[in-house]
Amino acid sequence: MSETTVQHLYFHIPFCAQICPYCAFYKHTPGKLANAAFVEALLDEVVACSKDYEIAPKTLYFGGGTPTLLSRKHLERLLQGLHERLDLSALVEWTFEANPATYNIEKAALMCDQGVNRISLGVQSWHSETLKLLGREHSPEEAKEAFGILRNVGFDQLNVDLMFSVPNQSLEQWEVDLEQVIAMQPEHISAYNLTYEEDTDFFKQLQAGRFREDSDEDALQFRLAIDKLETAGYHHYEISNYARPGAESKHNQAYWAGRDYLGIGPSAVSTIGLKRWKNVADTADYVRQMREEGSVGKDECEVLTPDQKRMESIALQLRTAEGVSLDVVEMNGEVDRQMLIEEGMITEGGGRIVLTEKGKPLADTVALELIG
Ligand code: SF4
């Protein structure tokens, strides 16, 4: 067993009721796959990883896909199975991603009873026409009902995902989306700028000229989100994330800080030190390999150079409210930051570089300048 202790685990549940046309994650409809066998494969992978690493989880994150699409029976087996296989005494955050209309009060209560303490709800919009364009199955009413179920069973850490810069979405509509989410008072709000990922239907539509990107409109919508959410008491602690004090996502903060994590499930990525790998992105093959070989093949393995890791740290940490340490930026020699300061993109203080309000919409471009 390696000396490494891993405190952060991600589980990839690739099932979705429908495929959203902008989504680039590994996912598919459940089809005829035996979910019981899939759950056993996940549990077996946890055991296999425990032979290689000491696992003492502080955060668990179930994403996908749509983890709440698992049946109550399979969810129960998965959650109980994890309690039997892992020491969860140091766990501080256990997040499940959920989509409206994929769970009922029984499933929600089960998650709560088993120790899941945070739900991230994929609402995306409160407008029917935007939801339809995004290929989402739920209605605004179902999203409200889904939120209410979570509150009723006792969840006090809820995130709502919203999306802006969606084709045909006006600034006024986005403002209504923000006001509606504020009225519901989740502890955390993620507001993502739609991006056109390769190999998605939206990307093809963009290429074909049916959609168009507008960076000025993006910036206006981003600015509106910051203004409205900060005024409502949400701290803008990362480019796409806003939280009540103390409600920041600990799991995501671990990613941004460059901590080690293990990914369990098909296509899940792990990073331990400078080593990074991705599990085979094929659910049937994943289940077969775990059953027959007791381990899972890696689609992509790489050893990052220290410089790559440093560049990654700059790009990720610059997106946070704390910014990036000057030491990390200067590790490989002095980078000329004066121009970025004069342009009002960054400020320096306390040994850290922080994006200004002007720099935030251009975080990726500023990071490239700092990487040098
Ligand atoms: S529900 Fe989520 S994971 Fe599934 S296709 Fe839509 S965006 Fe992707």
Side-chain angles (χ1 to χ4, degrees):
M1 186 193 284
S2 144
E3 294 292 296
T4 306
T5 301
V6 183
Q7 298 181 318
H8 309 285
L9 266 68
Y10 170 80
F11 289 76
H12 194 77
I13 315 293
F15 310 126
C16 290
Q18 83 299 330
I19 301 303
C20 305
Y22 57 89
C23 176
F25 296 123
Y26 174 68
K27 78 281 171 191
H28 51 83
T29 49
K32 291 195 170 55
L33 267 173
N35 286 358
F38 173 70
V39 166
E40 294 311 315
L42 291 177
L43 293 172
D44 289 347
E45 194 189 354
V46 169
V47 174
C49 288
S50 305
K51 292 179 187 147
D52 294 333
Y53 302 101
E54 187 185 341
I55 302 180
K58 279 191 173 171
T59 69
L60 297 175
Y61 193 104
F62 282 63
T66 309
T68 46
L69 213 52
L70 288 173
S71 69
R72 191 190 182 287
K73 183 173 125 199
H74 293 139
L75 259 183
E76 186 166 28
R77 168 68 186 146
L78 179 56
L79 300 182
Q80 281 182 355
L82 286 175
H83 279 285
E84 288 158 14
R85 286 159 181 78
L86 291 172
D87 175 2
L88 299 181
S89 56
L91 191 68
V92 292
E93 185 183 275
W94 189 347
T95 301
F96 253 69
E97 288 181 355
N99 279 330
T102 62
Y103 60 89
N104 53 18
I105 196 150
E106 285 79 26
K107 262 195 217 177
L110 169 72
M111 290 189 284
C112 198
D113 292 346
Q114 289 287 334
V116 176
N117 58 11
R118 184 172 184 272
I119 302 284
S120 179
L121 190 61
V123 171
Q124 314 310 348
S125 171
W126 299 108
H127 286 86
S128 304
E129 63 275 30
T130 306
L131 287 171
K132 201 163 165 209
L133 185 88
L134 289 172
R136 309 293 296 191
E137 281 229 313
H138 65 267
S139 64
E141 294 71 33
E142 282 170 324
K144 281 196 185 106
E145 192 185 324
F147 187 90
I149 288 175
L150 297 172
R151 279 289 190 239
N152 284 342
V153 301
F155 281 106
D156 60 5
Q157 291 298 319
L158 296 181
N159 170 59
V160 170
D161 276 352
L162 290 180
M163 200 171 272
F164 64 94
S165 295
V166 177
N168 308 326
Q169 182 188 34
S170 67
L171 195 61
E172 291 70 31
Q173 281 178 338
W174 177 230
E175 185 163 18
V176 172
D177 279 346
L178 291 165
E179 283 165 358
Q180 296 221 14
V181 77
I182 289 167
M184 297 181 77
Q185 302 197 23
E187 287 66 34
H188 191 286
I189 297 166
S190 297
Y192 296 106
N193 189 339
L194 173 72
T195 50
Y196 294 87
E197 307 283 347
E198 279 188 44
D199 298 325
T200 64
D201 184 61
F202 266 29
F203 185 75
K204 285 187 204 134
Q205 307 259 20
L206 183 71
Q207 298 288 86
R210 286 190 283 275
F211 293 160
R212 68 179 182 89
E213 288 183 288
D214 183 340
S215 55
D216 291 338
E217 183 66 19
D218 291 356
L220 278 178
Q221 297 202 0
F222 179 57
R223 186 70 255 164
L224 184 67
I226 297 174
D227 289 347
K228 290 208 84 91
L229 296 176
E230 287 197 332
T231 304
Y234 292 92
H235 176 215
H236 187 205
Y237 75 106
E238 197 269 348
I239 291 288
S240 304
N241 290 285
Y242 305 77
R244 297 275 192 224
E248 297 82 6
S249 163
K250 317 256 171 323
H251 187 83
N252 286 338
Q253 285 182 316
Y255 282 148
W256 302 328
R259 307 234 189 286
D260 292 337
Y261 58 89
L262 279 173
I264 308 288
S267 87
V269 174
S270 303
T271 304
I272 305 288
L274 294 173
K275 279 200 306 189
R276 177 167 296 159
W277 64 93
K278 181 177 174 184
N279 284 354
V280 61
D282 180 316
T283 308
D285 210 21
Y286 169 81
V287 172
R288 184 196 60 74
Q289 287 183 28
M290 283 310 305
R291 190 178 54 233
E292 293 175 7
E293 296 157 30
S295 65
V296 60
K298 316 298 179 205
D299 266 355
E300 296 162 24
C301 295
E302 60 178 329
V303 179
L304 303 171
T305 64
D307 210 35
Q308 282 174 314
K309 186 93 179 173
R310 183 184 74 87
M311 290 193 274
E312 226 177 60
S313 296
I314 292 171
L316 290 172
Q317 291 173 22
L318 190 67
R319 293 172 61 90
T320 66
E322 285 75 35
V324 57
S325 160
L326 267 174
D327 295 343
V328 176
V329 174
E330 289 183 338
M331 215 172 271
N332 278 12
E334 183 102 354
V335 178
D336 184 9
R337 302 180 298 274
Q338 202 49 42
M339 197 178 72
L340 289 169
I341 294 172
E342 281 167 14
E343 287 174 350
M345 297 292 179
I346 57 169
T347 56
E348 275 184 33
R352 303 191 75 83
I353 296 173
V354 179
L355 286 171
T356 61
E357 293 308 305
K358 186 178 172 192
K360 280 179 184 176
L362 301 165
D364 294 344
T365 313
V366 177
L368 282 176
E369 292 287 333
L370 291 175
I371 285 164

